[in-house]
Amino acid sequence: MEVLIFNKDVNASRYAAKMFAKLIRKKPAAVLGLATGSTPCLLYAELRQQHEEEGLDFSRITSFNLDEYVGLDGDHPQSYRYFMQQALFDHINVHPGKVHLPDGKSDDIPANCVDYEKNISAAGGIDLQVLGLGSDGHIGFNEPSSSLASRTRIKTLTRETREDNARFFDSADEVPQHCITMGIGTIMEARQIVLLAFGERKATAVKQVVEGPISAMWPATILQMHPSVVVLLDDAAAASLDQKDYYREVADNKPDWQRI
Ligand code: GLP
């Protein structure tokens, strides 16, 4: 696990954008794993800018989002489909048929989840997956106690997550109780993963993810078992890490060929 600590979230987001841009330039038909929430907003702003100003070409990419609320239509302003359209898809040259989110209004959720997994495999698997981090350590919507081998499925959100996400709704009670999320096993099959976490609200979860024991009670700790994970933090999110000085030393002394 590579841990990079930045003075500002915008600088961490620029680094993540460089990782995506490098991949897309090398592999124009790359398969991207995308996330929602506040955390990736600056990353998506940077990618929009790279598309507008540098012609970063998304025309051949395929994407799969991590999750979606059950019961919300794609045009509901709090649906993750709507979020992705506003934050990214409407501003870049993606092929609309190649961007995928779970269908929160599906009549047959288990079948939709099986199809989602099949579609990821048929596309060749995810090349680069971006993740945010729940304050309870969730990735996607894999809440504490999720199987570390889980696949795409329906989940019930914890009260903590519904309260965290209430800021996007009128109240916590309006936040749907259920979601569809890629499983932890699904996420772990991505070839490379970049996890972003910003702000002091994430510091406890970050400490667990980077330096804690692997546990289903902090689902993101499973990332310690992935061979290619980059964790991008701001100072506030990194505040509780014991080995901060070492992570900085590693970053400062990286050989040139390892830099992006
Ligand atoms: C949400 C999403 C996650 C996201 C996390 C953090 O519930 N399902 O994918 O990473 O919670 O959200 P935020 O980035 O807004 O802090």
Side-chain angles (χ1 to χ4, degrees):
M1 183 175 274
E2 181 181 10
V3 180
L4 298 175
I5 304 168
F6 295 81
N7 58 347
K8 286 187 186 157
D9 53 3
V10 68
N11 294 331
S13 303
R14 277 194 191 122
Y15 188 95
K18 273 192 201 169
M19 291 175 68
F20 275 95
K22 186 177 176 186
L23 169 68
I24 294 165
R25 291 206 167 93
K26 187 169 159 208
K27 184 176 178 184
V31 180
L32 312 183
L34 301 177
T36 50
S38 327
T39 307
C41 286
L42 291 167
L43 160 65
Y44 296 151
E46 192 66 32
L47 289 176
R48 289 188 328 243
Q49 195 178 339
Q50 293 211 18
H51 172 66
E52 278 161 32
E53 293 175 8
E54 292 163 39
L56 185 62
D57 180 12
F58 292 87
S59 63
R60 293 178 60 201
I61 66 112
T62 300
S63 73
F64 291 91
N65 261 79
L66 286 166
D67 44 17
E68 179 59 283
Y69 290 113
V70 168
L72 301 191
D73 265 323
D75 53 8
H76 188 290
Q78 270 70 45
S79 75
Y80 283 165
R81 158 69 72 173
Y82 187 89
F83 171 94
M84 287 307 301
Q85 292 297 144
Q86 303 291 312
L88 188 64
F89 299 153
D90 285 350
H91 309 276
I92 58 175
N93 62 335
V94 281
H95 189 296
K98 287 185 166 188
V99 297
H100 305 270
L101 282 94
D103 179 2
K105 289 287 267 186
S106 170
D107 293 335
D108 188 344
I109 288 176
N112 186 251
C113 294
V114 169
D115 286 348
Y116 206 66
E117 292 274 341
K118 280 188 189 152
N119 289 337
I120 294 172
S121 297
I126 292 170
D127 291 301
L128 178 56
Q129 173 71 57
V130 62
L131 298 174
L133 181 64
S135 60
D136 61 2
H138 73 233
I139 45 176
F141 265 138
N142 293 282
E143 297 283 33
S145 80
S146 288
S147 160
L148 298 178
S150 50
R151 311 302 307 188
T152 303
R153 69 213 183 289
I154 190 167
K155 285 292 289 178
T156 306
L157 300 176
T158 61
R159 189 75 210 167
E160 181 175 345
T161 296
R162 293 178 72 212
E163 279 165 9
D164 278 352
N165 289 0
R167 65 192 191 279
F168 300 113
F169 293 79
D170 288 335
S171 70
D173 291 330
E174 306 250 310
V175 181
Q177 272 194 305
H178 295 104
C179 62
I180 299 171
T181 180
M182 273 190 209
I184 296 175
T186 322
I187 293 168
M188 288 290 285
E189 284 173 6
R191 292 182 189 92
Q192 190 177 21
I193 294 176
V194 56
L195 180 131
L196 304 172
F198 306 137
E200 61 184 335
R201 205 167 55 87
K202 303 295 173 72
T204 304
V206 166
K207 164 78 180 151
Q208 292 293 331
V209 173
V210 179
E211 297 177 344
I214 295 174
S215 163
M217 293 315 290
W218 291 96
T221 57
I222 192 65
L223 297 174
Q224 294 173 20
M225 296 290 290
H226 192 285
S228 186
V229 175
V230 183
V231 177
L232 304 179
L233 306 171
D234 64 3
D235 284 321
S240 301
L241 293 173
D242 288 332
Q243 301 293 324
K244 273 193 294 274
D245 292 346
Y246 174 62
Y247 309 137
R248 289 205 162 100
E249 198 180 317
V250 172
D252 291 345
N253 292 288
K254 251 188 184 187
D256 281 344
W257 56 267
Q258 277 190 338
R259 295 177 189 271
I260 60 162

